[in-house]
Amino acid sequence: YLTVFLIAPSGELSPHGDPIRLKRRPVHTSVDHAGEHVLVAYNFPSGISVCKIKGDGSIGDEVPQPDNLETGIYFHQIRATPSDKSILIVARGNNPEGTKPEDPGSLHVYGFKNGVLSSMRKIAPNGGYGFGPRHLDFHPSQPWVYLSVERQSQLIVYKMTPEGDLAPEPLFTKTTLAEPAHRFPIQGAGPIHVHPNGRFVYLGNRS
């Protein structure tokens, strides 16, 4: 379900409107910068829902989406770009396990207009193999997108165009580990946040 809560001046929460039943288990939700739509990502299988936000903040109708949107494997985060011209979705992929081969990861850019998405770009270096992104965040004043790459313990920076697209080649790639050769048995980059002053980026290591 997708549910809205009112926040009282004291910080107390109370339900606002009826819960909306979703298609399946959601993994992440966010709101566009205009405050007009709720964005929902599903991970298994990957999918997207966009719901209108009513004037009182409650959830309105779901916006129908095209049937031909390209999706990745294991969507993990959905964010509107600051201009609301596009939506970025991180598809994590999966590590190989036993006899099961690796599922490639990818970063998807969708055009966004009146709540409707359209495919713009898929970033998947080496076909997405050896590329397992998890979360992203935006610089507050520059056209920079910071991407947490969970499965390879990396931080990648991409440049965003005025149209909301991403340049496919990264500006920078940094390891998140002091000793990259010793990242096993398990090390995984996690949530990422850019400080409001734009001078620092914080990236959690989950193991």
Side-chain angles (χ1 to χ4, degrees):
Y1 290 88
L2 181 62
T3 305
V4 180
F5 290 88
L6 291 175
I7 307 174
S10 64
E12 185 177 357
L13 301 180
S14 59
H16 181 51
D18 296 326
I20 303 299
R21 187 173 183 86
L22 296 172
K23 301 172 184 176
R24 50 189 176 274
R25 173 185 178 268
V27 69
H28 187 253
T29 184
S30 60
V31 175
D32 64 5
H33 292 270
E36 296 177 349
H37 300 92
V38 181
L39 314 170
V40 180
Y42 307 97
N43 62 350
F44 190 73
S46 292
I48 306 158
S49 286
V50 178
C51 294
K52 295 179 180 178
I53 297 177
K54 298 180 181 179
D56 65 353
S58 59
I59 304 168
D61 295 334
E62 182 171 349
V63 181
Q65 301 297 323
D67 294 329
N68 61 348
L69 290 177
E70 183 178 12
T71 59
I73 298 174
Y74 208 95
F75 274 176
H76 209 277
Q77 188 195 35
I78 182 168
R79 294 283 306 274
T81 57
S83 67
D84 277 341
K85 292 181 178 178
S86 60
I87 300 294
L88 303 186
I89 303 185
V90 179
R92 192 193 68 181
N94 294 292
N95 285 326
E97 187 174 351
T99 59
K100 181 179 176 296
E102 177 186 0
D103 292 322
S106 49
L107 175 59
H108 296 257
V109 185
Y110 299 95
F112 187 60
K113 186 174 182 179
N114 298 324
V116 179
L117 280 68
S118 58
S119 295
M120 287 180 67
R121 183 181 301 277
K122 174 183 175 181
I123 296 176
N126 192 36
Y129 293 97
F131 181 68
R134 185 179 179 93
H135 286 139
L136 60 82
D137 201 9
F138 303 96
H139 192 278
S141 60
Q142 298 294 332
W144 301 330
V145 176
Y146 294 80
L147 180 69
S148 161
V149 185
E150 174 186 2
R151 296 193 288 122
Q152 285 71 41
S153 299
Q154 292 178 331
L155 168 61
I156 298 180
V157 185
Y158 290 96
K159 185 173 182 179
M160 189 165 49
T161 71
E163 295 75 29
D165 197 1
L166 295 184
E169 296 300 323
L171 293 173
F172 303 101
T173 300
K174 297 283 187 180
T175 180
T176 63
L177 303 178
E179 299 181 40
H182 297 159
R183 69 184 183 94
F184 294 102
I186 293 294
Q187 297 290 327
I192 186 169
H193 294 283
V194 179
H195 192 283
N197 66 17
R199 295 177 57 199
F200 303 97
V201 57
Y202 300 94
L203 175 54
N205 183 37
R206 299 173 53 246
S207 178

